Every structure is written in structure tokens, then in C-alpha cells.
Amino acid sequence: LTTFLIQRMLRCLRLCGAIGLLVIASQVEAWTAAPLLSSTGARRARPTTTIRPGVSMDLKTPSFKVAVAALASSVLLLQGAPMPVHAVSGGVADFGDIHGADMSGGDYSKKDFSGADAKGTNLANSKLKGARFFKADVRNADFTGSDLTAASLENAKLDGVILKNAVLKSAYTGLGLETAKDISGSDWTGAQIRPDVQQKLCARPDAQGTNPKTKADTRESLECP
């Protein structure tokens, strides 16, 4: 019976991939959980499988289950199984490849977009308080009317980003803001901005207007002379 199970697992691995192997592993677990009885009704010893000459493993032990799970994971990696949309390997960030997506009007407060590909993503009128965009690619993304209070835009790619009427109070920023497409009506009160970037923002013709939400003057919030 042990040989049969091993052969079935290998066959399923070839035909069904790692997902099928996990199914077989669950069947093995269910089988090993049930008592083994001989034809006379007496309990029989639990079977083992030979790893190499002189070394065997009880199919009921956690080691066997861990080995099966590890094998399945390896197959998934070797097969190049696609990562779920919006996921980042390692489970660090909340979003991965979202370029061109329409995510407008959502609540993404304190979400982690670190390293995300968000080129051309529509995040207009969204709640992004405390969101993290560290090293994210948000070129040509639309943040019109979004609340980016205390958000982190450090080391993000910001070429062509739209920040019209956006609220960036107490936001953390770095280089690249000067390449934004539109900053009219934005509120920068208390934002951390490099002096050289602040000068370039103040020199822009669209550094004007009043934020419709906070009523803050754009130039005053930038502390322009």
C-alpha cells in the first residue's frame, strides 16, 4: 500500500502538478489517521517508506507531512506559478503589479505600496492616509483629490504624477516631486520636502489654488516666498 501511495503521488505530480500533490498529501494524512486492522481485527503496525537503505520514515509523522509540503512548494516555484494580482513576494507589501488599474475612490489608508508597479494607476479621490509608496513606480498615476496625509513618497518614481487637489499634509517626500504633472490646489501643510525640491515646486506656474477639502492655499502650504 505504501508503494502504491508513493507511485500515485509521483504520477499526480507529473499530471496535475503541485496542487494535485497537496490533495494526495491530504489523503495520506486522512489514511494515516485511521487505525489499521488486520483481517482478524488486530491492530497492525503503521507502514513506513524507505528514504534510503537503512533509513525509513513513518507516514504519520509530521516530518513526512512537512516533506510533502516542501516538495509541493518547490514544484510551484519550478513551474513558475503566477503570483496573485496585487500581491508582493514575501508578503511585505499589500500591492504589487497594479499598473493601469482603476482603484479610484477606495480606502487604502496605511496600506503598503512599497515597490509596487502603479504606473498610470487611477487612485483619484482615494483615502491614502499613512500609505507607504517607498520605491513605488507611480509615474503618470492619478491622485486627484486624494488624501495622502502622512503618506510616504520617499524614493518613489513620480514623473507625470497628478496631485491636483490632493492633500499631502505631513507627508514624507523626496526627489521627483518637481516632475509631477499637476500640483494645483494641493495642500502641503507640514510636509517634509527637500529645500531644493521646494524651490522648484514654488517656481511652477501651477503652484497655486486652494484645496477644496482643507481650504489651504497651495503656495502658502508650500511656504513659498
Side-chain angles (χ1 to χ4, degrees):
L1 183 58
T2 303
T3 302
F4 168 74
L5 284 173
I6 298 299
Q7 291 176 344
R8 187 175 179 185
M9 289 171 66
L10 292 176
R11 183 172 182 273
C12 188
L13 177 59
R14 291 194 301 268
L15 298 178
C16 310
I19 301 301
L21 182 58
L22 289 174
V23 173
I24 296 300
S26 65
Q27 294 179 355
V28 170
E29 182 175 359
W31 172 70
T32 55
L36 288 180
L37 302 176
S38 66
S39 58
T40 61
R43 288 181 176 270
R44 290 188 289 140
R46 189 66 60 181
T48 61
T49 182
T50 301
I51 305 302
R52 61 178 183 270
V55 180
S56 62
M57 180 182 291
D58 188 339
L59 294 182
K60 191 178 180 182
T61 62
S63 299
F64 175 76
K65 300 171 186 177
V66 170
V68 172
L71 178 58
S73 299
S74 300
V75 172
L76 281 174
L77 292 175
L78 291 174
Q79 288 180 335
M83 296 292 290
V85 175
H86 297 172
V88 172
S89 177
V92 177
D94 296 301
F95 300 94
D97 186 355
I98 54 174
H99 73 278
D102 185 357
M103 300 173 64
S104 58
D107 187 349
Y108 311 107
S109 299
K110 297 184 179 181
K111 293 297 184 180
D112 195 345
F113 293 81
S114 296
D117 180 358
K119 294 189 297 292
T121 300
N122 184 3
L123 285 161
N125 302 309
S126 296
K127 295 179 181 179
L128 293 157
K129 290 184 177 181
R132 181 173 168 83
F133 289 89
F134 180 70
K135 289 188 176 181
D137 189 345
V138 293
R139 288 176 292 178
N140 301 313
D142 189 354
F143 290 95
T144 299
S146 292
D147 189 348
L148 289 152
T149 299
S152 174
L153 295 168
E154 296 169 300
N155 294 341
K157 296 179 181 179
L158 301 165
D159 299 10
V161 68
I162 302 174
L163 297 170
K164 182 178 181 179
N165 296 332
V167 178
L168 295 109
K169 298 172 64 175
S170 303
Y172 298 89
T173 68
L175 291 170
L177 278 177
E178 68 277 9
T179 63
K181 182 177 181 179
D182 191 348
I183 64 169
S184 61
S186 52
D187 182 359
W188 302 85
T189 304
Q192 302 296 314
I193 307 175
R194 289 171 49 118
D196 55 334
V197 174
Q198 184 253 1
Q199 292 177 5
K200 293 177 180 178
L201 290 175
C202 289
R204 292 175 56 126
D206 60 347
Q208 59 180 335
T210 302
N211 188 272
K213 293 181 180 179
T214 64
K215 308 304 178 184
D217 182 89
T218 297
R219 290 191 64 81
E220 290 183 3
S221 68
L222 283 169
E223 300 183 2
C224 297

